[in-house]
Amino acid sequence: MSSGGNSKLWGGRFTESTSDLMEAFSESVSFDRRLYRQDIAGSQAHARMLEKVGVLGAEDAKAIVEGLDAIRAEIEAGRFEWKSQLEDVHMNIESELTRRIGEAGKRLHTGRSRNDQVATDVRLYLRDAIDDLVGVIDRLALALLDLAEREADTVMPGFTHLQVAQPVTFGHHMLAWREQLMRDRSRLLDARRRTNVLPLGSAALAGTVYPIDRAFVAGLLGFDGVTENSLDAVSDRDFAIEFCACASLLMVHLSRWSEELILWSTPMFGFVALPDRFCTGSSIMPQKKNPDVPELVRGKTGRVIGDLQALLVLMKGQPLAYNRDNQEDKEPLFDAIDTVSACLRIYGELVPSIAVRRDRCAAAAAAGYSTATDLADYLVKKGLPFRDAHHAVGSAVARAVVVGCELSDLSLDELRGFSPLIEADVYERITLQGSLAARNHIGATSPEQVRAAIARARKSTGG
Amino acid sequence: MSSGGNSKLWGGRFTESTSDLMEAFSESVSFDRRLYRQDIAGSQAHARMLEKVGVLGAEDAKAIVEGLDAIRAEIEAGRFEWKSQLEDVHMNIESELTRRIGEAGKRLHTGRSRNDQVATDVRLYLRDAIDDLVGVIDRLALALLDLAEREADTVMPGFTHLQVAQPVTFGHHMLAWREQLMRDRSRLLDARRRTNVLPLGSAALAGTVYPIDRAFVAGLLGFDGVTENSLDAVSDRDFAIEFCACASLLMVHLSRWSEELILWSTPMFGFVALPDRFCTGSSIMPQKKNPDVPELVRGKTGRVIGDLQALLVLMKGQPLAYNRDNQEDKEPLFDAIDTVSACLRIYGELVPSIAVRRDRCAAAAAAGYSTATDLADYLVKKGLPFRDAHHAVGSAVARAVVVGCELSDLSLDELRGFSPLIEADVYERITLQGSLAARNHIGATSPEQVRAAIARARKSTGG
Amino acid sequence: MSSGGNSKLWGGRFTESTSDLMEAFSESVSFDRRLYRQDIAGSQAHARMLEKVGVLGAEDAKAIVEGLDAIRAEIEAGRFEWKSQLEDVHMNIESELTRRIGEAGKRLHTGRSRNDQVATDVRLYLRDAIDDLVGVIDRLALALLDLAEREADTVMPGFTHLQVAQPVTFGHHMLAWREQLMRDRSRLLDARRRTNVLPLGSAALAGTVYPIDRAFVAGLLGFDGVTENSLDAVSDRDFAIEFCACASLLMVHLSRWSEELILWSTPMFGFVALPDRFCTGSSIMPQKKNPDVPELVRGKTGRVIGDLQALLVLMKGQPLAYNRDNQEDKEPLFDAIDTVSACLRIYGELVPSIAVRRDRCAAAAAAGYSTATDLADYLVKKGLPFRDAHHAVGSAVARAVVVGCELSDLSLDELRGFSPLIEADVYERITLQGSLAARNHIGATSPEQVRAAIARARKSTGG
Amino acid sequence: MSSGGNSKLWGGRFTESTSDLMEAFSESVSFDRRLYRQDIAGSQAHARMLEKVGVLGAEDAKAIVEGLDAIRAEIEAGRFEWKSQLEDVHMNIESELTRRIGEAGKRLHTGRSRNDQVATDVRLYLRDAIDDLVGVIDRLALALLDLAEREADTVMPGFTHLQVAQPVTFGHHMLAWREQLMRDRSRLLDARRRTNVLPLGSAALAGTVYPIDRAFVAGLLGFDGVTENSLDAVSDRDFAIEFCACASLLMVHLSRWSEELILWSTPMFGFVALPDRFCTGSSIMPQKKNPDVPELVRGKTGRVIGDLQALLVLMKGQPLAYNRDNQEDKEPLFDAIDTVSACLRIYGELVPSIAVRRDRCAAAAAAGYSTATDLADYLVKKGLPFRDAHHAVGSAVARAVVVGCELSDLSLDELRGFSPLIEADVYERITLQGSLAARNHIGATSPEQVRAAIARARKSTGG
C-alpha cells in the first residue's frame, strides 16, 4: 500500500505532490525560523512531560532532548540547512530530529499539533521580546531623567498650537516625554500578562486523548498558567494585536519627540544641536547636516501602525478555530518588535548627546508675550474676575503687537490704561523666572517641581 | 478700553471677528455637548477646591455650584440652548453660568484652562463608559455560560481551515467565545486604570500660579490619582487610543462570532436558527429571513478599527503640548464607545435565543472523517510512532474517499490493510462520543471538562 | 391568509415582529435620508422605464412621478416625517407614496430590489459630490495660482529635512501645493468614471424577469453606461473605497500644507501671518492667536484615513452578493465627502488672505549656507568633478560654522584655502538672487520659470 | 583642507564619523538594492543628457555608461558586494563606478541629487511592476472567462446575506469575479499614467544650474512627460500610495473570492473541489485536506492594507520638500507589489483547476425557496401589485416552512389559498431552469446572457 504522490509528513491521504508554486507561496520557514529557540524549548518541555505521564519512554525522551540541543547548536553556528519544502520551522526541526535519532523523533508529535505548537512558540518569543523592550525602555527613561536634571533650570518657551504659550523648563519637557514612555511600559507589562499563558495541550483544536500535564509544561517554560479553552487557544492572536497596539502608541510617542527634535534643530528654532555621528549630509548640498534619526523614527511610525492594521484585518471575520490565514501573523509582529526595539535603542544613545542651546531657548521664551497669563493672574490677585483680567491683558497685547514690543516694554502708564489695578510691582511678576517659579504644584513646571518629580521617579525606579 | 472686533471670551487681542465659515468649521459643541455632565461635575469640583484653598469666596463657590446644578437640570430637560458661536460645551456652560450668576461666573476659570478641562471631561466620560461596558460584558458572558451549559453535551464538528477536524461540543465552542470576551474585559480594566487619573491643574500647559489642591479635586471626582506632568497631561490622548485598541479587538472577536452565526444559519450548515425578531426580510424575495444582527456587527467592526486608525494618525507627529488637532479626538472615541456598546447589548439579547439544531450538528460531525485522529492515537497506544500512525490513517482516509464512505464503514480487514495493529475494538474508539469523552484535560472538549470549566467560571465571577 | 406578527413590507413569512432593540440597531434612515433626492430621481426613472416597456400603465407611472415630486418638496420643506420603523430612506419614501397614491405605489418596486436601488442612489450621490468637489478644487487651485503670482519673486528658504537647503521662491512653493491638488483632481475624475455606471436592473442579485430597458434608465439619470453583472453590481462598493482613497490622499496633502502654515506662523519662522478671522484665542492665555484652521485640517486627516480603513475592513472577506454589512458603507463615505469638502472650502477662503512676511522669508534664506551648492557648481564649471567640489565646499562650511559666519563672509583667501579655483567672481554667484535666477529650466524655482509655470497653468485651465 | 572625521561622500562638513548604530539604523541598501536596474538606467540616461548639453565630455559619458553596464552585469551575476556603510543602492553603485573609472565617476552626480534620483528609480520600478501585474491580471481574467464558459449552464444558489436567494449560474458568478478584476486593471492603468512622469532634474528640491534637457531624459527612459515643480517632485509619494490603494482594493476582491472558495470547499456546501497540489494536510489529523491557497490569500489582504496605511501615516503632516522619513516608502510598496503579484499568479494557476460539483450546486439551489420571487413575479403578471404579491408569497413560504417542504410541493389548492390568481401553470414558472432563463437582460444570470457577456469580453480583450 503506497501513499500516493505526496511525501510530506501529512501526505498520507494525498494523491498529488504539492505544486512548486504552492510550495513557494505557502512556506513560512523563511521568516518563522527565528522561532527556533522557542520551538526547541517547547518541544523539549513537551517531551519531558510525555515522559513524566508515561506516554514516552525515558530513552526516547532523552534522545529527543539531546537531539534538539544538538540541532539548536547547529542552527546557532549557522550550519543548519533550512528547507522550504519542509514548510516551516516546526517541520524542519522535527524532520531533522527524526533523521538523527530515528523512531523516537516520530513520537515527539504525540498529543500535540502544529496549531498549539506555533501558538506556544510565538507567545514565548513575544514574552521574551517584551522583557527585552522593557529593559531598553528603562535605559531610555533613565537617560531622559538625567537630561531633565541637567536642564532643570533651563527656560524655554512652552507651546500650544505651536505658538509661544508660557515659559517652561527644558527639564519639565523631558519629563513629559518620560511620562509617555512610562505608560508604554505599563501597557507592555499588561500585555505580557495576557501573553504568558500556555496554549500547548490544545492540540489541533479539541485537546488530546493523552493524559497530559499542562501545568508541568507551563512550569518548565516559565508560563504563568495554561489556557482555558482549546478552540480559543489555537485561534487566539490577541496577544500579537495587543502588542502591536502598544507598539503603535509607543511609536506615536516617539514620532512626537521626533517632530520636536526636528523643529528644535532648525536654524529658526535652534534649541538643540544633535551630534554629527547621528546625522547625515546631502549628496548634493555640501552644507547639509540632517536630523536623520528623528526623521527615520517618525517615518517608521507608519510601518508599526500598518502592522497593527494588518493584524486586525487578518483576524476580522475568521471562524474558529485555526485557519491558515494566521500564518500571516508573524511578519507584522516581528516587524513591530524589531522596529520598536531599534527606535528605542537609538534614542537611548541619542538622548544623552542632545546639546541644549540655552541662549536660544531663553531668547525664544522671552519673545511672544509668554507671560501674558501671569499678568492676568496678577490682576486676579488684585480682585479682578479672571475673564475680565483676560480681556484687559488681551487688549494690552494687541497694543504691544501694533507697537512691536513686548509687554514689559510698555510703560506703567500704558499698562494702567488697560487696568488701573496694575502697579509698579507688575514688572517682576512677568519675568520668565517669576513666571516659572510661581508654577509650583505637583505636575507644574517650576524648577523646584521638576527636581521633585525627578526625585520621585528615581525613587520609584531605583534609577 | 475697547476689545476691537471680537466678542469671544478670548477675543481681547483680536481685531476681527471670527468668520462665519470658520465658526462652522471649528465649532465642537454639536458633538462635545454630550460631555455636559462631566464638564459640570469637573467645574463644581474645581470651584470647591478654589474655595478650599482660599482663591474663591464661599458665596461665589456656592453660586457656581448651584448655578451649574440648575444648568444641568435645564440641559437634561432639553431646554438648554446650545450655541455654536460659543464653540464648545465648556464655553456654552460657562457663558450661561455668568449670564445667570454674574461676576462669580467669571471667576470659575481661575487657575485652569480649557486644555486641562477638556482632558478631565473626556477621561471622566470614558471611565464611566468603561464601567458601563464592563457591566454589559458581564451580562453577555453570563448568557454564554448559560448557553454553554445548555449545550454541554451537544456534539458538533470542530473546524480548522473550515474543514471538519474533530468533534467538539457546542458548549465548548461557546466557552471559546467567552474566553475572548474575558480578555476584552481584562484589557478594558487595564485601560481604565490609566484613564482614571486627573489632569486638572495642568492649566494651559505649565500648571498654574494658584495654590491649588489637585488631590482634593481627584477625590471629589473619583480619580485614582493626579497626572505627574502638565505638558504631558494636556497633550496626552493615550487613553482614547488605548480604549479604541481594546474596542477594535473586541469587535474583531464579535466579527468572528458573527461569521460563525452567519455560516451556521445557512441551509448548508443549519446548525442554529435565530429568532424572527432579530431577523429581517427582503424587499423583493418573499422567502428571505436574514441574519442581520451578526451581519451588521461584522460590518461595524470596520468602523471601530477606522476610529482607532483615525486617532493614531491624529496624534502622529504632534509637538507638545495641546494642538487644536486634538479636538478631533472626540468623535472617533464616542463612535467606538457607542458602537461597541450597541453590539454587546444586542448580542446580550440574541445569545440566549439561539436555537441549536442538535440533529444537524451531530450529522455534520459524523461526516468528514472527524475521528481520524482518534484512529491514529489508537495506533500510537498500540506502539506505533505517531508519524507512522498518521500516515497509515491518511492512507485509510484516501481509500474511504475513493469508496465514498466513512472510516467506520470500512471492514476490519480493510482497516487492517493499513495497519495490522488494528483490532475489533477500534470501532468503539472512533465514535463521536468516544472521541469527545477521551479529550478530558483542562481546556479540552469533553462534556466533563466543559462542565468543569463552567463551574470554575461561575465561581470566579459569581455568575 | 394571515401575515403573522410582522407588519414590515417584507414581513409575510415572519411570525414575530421585529424587536425594538433590533429596530434601533438596524435602522439606517437616520443617516441615509440624505439620499432622498437620488432615491426619488432613481424611482422616477425606474417608473418611466416600466411604463416605456409596458409593465406599468401610463396613469400609474404619472401618479408615481408626481407623488414622488410632492414627497421631495415636502422633505425639502422640512415637513416629511422620517420613521425608523420603516428602516431606511427607500422604505420611508415608498410607504409614503403608497399612502398617498394607493395601489400604484405598490407597483413601483416591480423589477427592482433595495439592493440595486441603494447602489444606484449612492453612486448618484457620489457622482454629484465629486462634481461639487472638483469645482471647489478649481477655485482653490486658482487661489494658489494667484498667490504664486503675487509672490513669484519672494525669496524664502527651501527645506529638506527641515534644514535650510537652497533658496526658492514663495511662488514656487505655492505651485508645488497646486501640483498635489491637480493630481487629486485627476484621481477624482478617474473615480467618477468608474462610479457613474448604472446598477439598477440587477434587482436582488440575479436580474429580473421583466423586459427592462437599462440603457433608458441610465440615460435619464446621466449614467455613462450600465453594469455588466448583477451579482457584482449589488455587492460592489469599490466606488466608495476608491473615493475614500482619493480623499485620504487629498487630506494627506492638506495636512502637509497645514504643517507648513503652522510652522510658518510660529514666531521662530514668522514667514506668514494669518488673518484674525481664521484664528482663535485661548481661554486662559490672553496673548494667544492660534492657527486653528490648519491645525483642524491636519487633525481631520486622521478621520478620512479612518473612513478608508473602515470601508476596506468592511468589504474584506465578504461572500457575494449583498450582505447587510454593506449598510455600514454610508457613514464613512458621507463623512469623507463632508470632511474633504469643508477643508477645501475653508482653504479656498484662507489662501488668498495669507500675508507673506517677505523680510522674514528673505532673512531666513540668507542664513544656513543655502547657496553652498551654488559654490560647488561654481567649482564644477571651473573643471572640478562634482564630488570633489562637494567635499571642498563642505570643508568651507565646517570652517564657517566654527567661525560663526556665512560663506560670503569668508575672505577670498580663506575660500581659496578650500579650492584654488575660487576667484573674486564667486561672491556674485552665491547671492540668493543669483542662486534663484540660475535654476532656470522647466520645474525649477527661478522667478522666470515660476511665471512660465503660472502661464501654462492658466492656459490649461482657463484660470 | 582636511575632511575631519567623516569619509562619507557627503562628509566634508562633518567632524565625527557616523556611529555604527546609526549606520545600521539608517542604511537602506538591504532593501533598495532591488532598484539597481532602474538606478543604472537612470544614471545612464542622465550621463547621456549631460553629454548632449555639453556638461560632460564624450569620453566621460562613455566611461560612465560602460562602467554602469559592467556593474549591472556583476550585480546580476551575484558578484557585486553591497556595503551598508555606503547607505543605499545609489551610493553603492556610484562608489563602485568611481573606483572603476576614476574622475569621470565623480562627475556623474552633476546636476542631480539623490532626492530626484530615488524618485526616478522608484517610479521606473513601479511602472514596470504595473506592466507586469496587468499581464498577470489578463491571464487570470482569461482563466475566469474560460471557467465561466465551461459552467455557463451550471445552476447554483445565488446568495444574499449568505441565505439562498435566487438561482444563478456558476458562470455568472465567475463573471462577477472578473468584473472586480477588470476594475482593478483599470485603476492600475490610471495609476500608471500618474506614475510615469520624470522627476529627474528637480535635483535636491529647486532644480539645477546646469542647462539640462529633461525631455531628452524622459524620452530615453520611456516616461510620458516631466514633473512640473521641483519641490513637489522630490517630495511626492502619491504614486506609491495610489498603487497601494489599488492593491488593497484588489486584495479585498481576492479575499472575497477566497472566502467563497473556502465556503464552497466545506463538506456542508461541497460546491467545488480543489486539486491536492494546491492543498495541504494537518500535522495531527490524517484526514485533513485544507484550502490553503484561498486562506493565505485572504490572510495576505491584511498586509497590503497595512502597507497602504503605513504610507498614509508616513506622509501625513510632512513639510516640503524631501524628508528622510521617505526612505520608509519602499518596503511597504515593494511588499504590496510582491504580495499582489504572488496572489494573482497562484490564482491564475488555481482557477482553471477548480472542479465544480454540479450535483451539489443544483441540489443546494433547489432547496431554500429560491424561486419564491418568481412566484411573486408570476402574480404581478396576473395583475397583483408587487407589494401584495410579495406578501402573499411570504405567507406561502411561512406555510411551507411549517410543513417542511418546498413551494412546489404545495398543492395547487394550498397555493391558491394564498392567492386565487395562482393557476396550474405556476409550477413550470418556479423551476430552477425557468427562473434562470427568465432573467434575460444585460447583466442578468440566464445562460444566454452569460454567453453573451463572455462573447463581449472576448471581443473587447481579444481573449
Side-chain angles (χ1 to χ4, degrees), chain D residues 110-177:
Chain D
T110 310
R112 74 173 185 187
S113 159
R114 274 190 295 190
N115 295 352
D116 56 342
Q117 187 179 358
V118 66
T120 302
D121 290 4
V122 179
R123 281 174 181 260
L124 273 175
Y125 185 90
L126 178 58
R127 181 194 68 194
D128 295 350
I130 290 174
D131 288 342
D132 179 65
L133 288 173
V134 168
V136 182
I137 285 174
D138 285 341
R139 287 194 291 283
L140 176 53
L142 189 57
L144 290 170
L145 220 47
D146 291 343
L147 180 55
E149 189 149 39
R150 206 176 79 201
E151 309 291 345
D153 295 299
T154 306
V155 60
M156 71 181 292
F159 296 92
T160 61
H161 307 252
L162 212 56
Q163 294 293 314
V164 172
Q166 293 177 350
V168 298
T169 62
F170 200 95
H172 191 54
H173 201 117
M174 290 303 101
L175 292 182
W177 288 9

Side-chain angles (χ1 to χ4, degrees), chain A residues 176-324:
Chain A
W177 287 9
R178 187 179 171 279
E179 283 297 302
Q180 297 173 1
L181 199 57
M182 297 315 278
R183 283 193 300 275
D184 293 322
R185 185 184 194 280
S186 152
R187 268 184 290 266
L188 284 172
L189 290 177
D190 287 344
R192 185 194 196 282
R193 191 159 37 82
R194 278 177 287 266
T195 300
N196 198 34
V197 186
L198 177 76
L200 206 67
S202 304
L205 77 160
T208 177
V209 302
Y210 303 93
I212 59 176
D213 183 343
R214 299 180 63 205
F216 178 76
V217 178
L220 288 178
L221 295 170
F223 281 105
D224 297 331
V226 302
T227 57
E228 285 270 331
N229 184 287
S230 59
L231 285 165
D232 174 55
V234 298
S235 61
D236 170 30
R237 292 298 183 272
D238 281 14
F239 50 89
I241 297 178
E242 183 175 357
F243 174 79
C244 284
C246 294
S248 293
L249 201 32
L250 194 158
M251 289 301 299
V252 165
H253 294 151
L254 297 189
S255 80
R256 303 184 72 176
W257 308 8
S258 297
E259 174 84 1
E260 296 189 307
L261 286 176
I262 293 165
L263 288 179
W264 296 349
S265 299
T266 61
M268 289 79 197
F269 281 72
F271 292 179
V272 302
L274 304 181
D276 279 11
R277 69 184 177 280
F278 290 116
C279 297
T280 70
S282 158
S283 73
I284 175 172
M285 296 174 287
Q287 88 282 11
K288 287 302 292 297
K289 176 185 158 185
N290 298 322
D292 298 85
V293 170
E295 289 178 283
L296 283 166
V297 171
R298 188 176 58 181
K300 284 175 190 295
T301 306
R303 75 189 290 154
V304 177
I305 294 176
D307 292 330
L308 170 62
Q309 293 292 342
L311 290 179
L312 287 167
V313 175
L314 175 67
M315 300 309 294
K316 181 247 176 177
Q318 269 196 41
L320 294 183
Y322 181 84
N323 300 293
R324 187 68 183 268

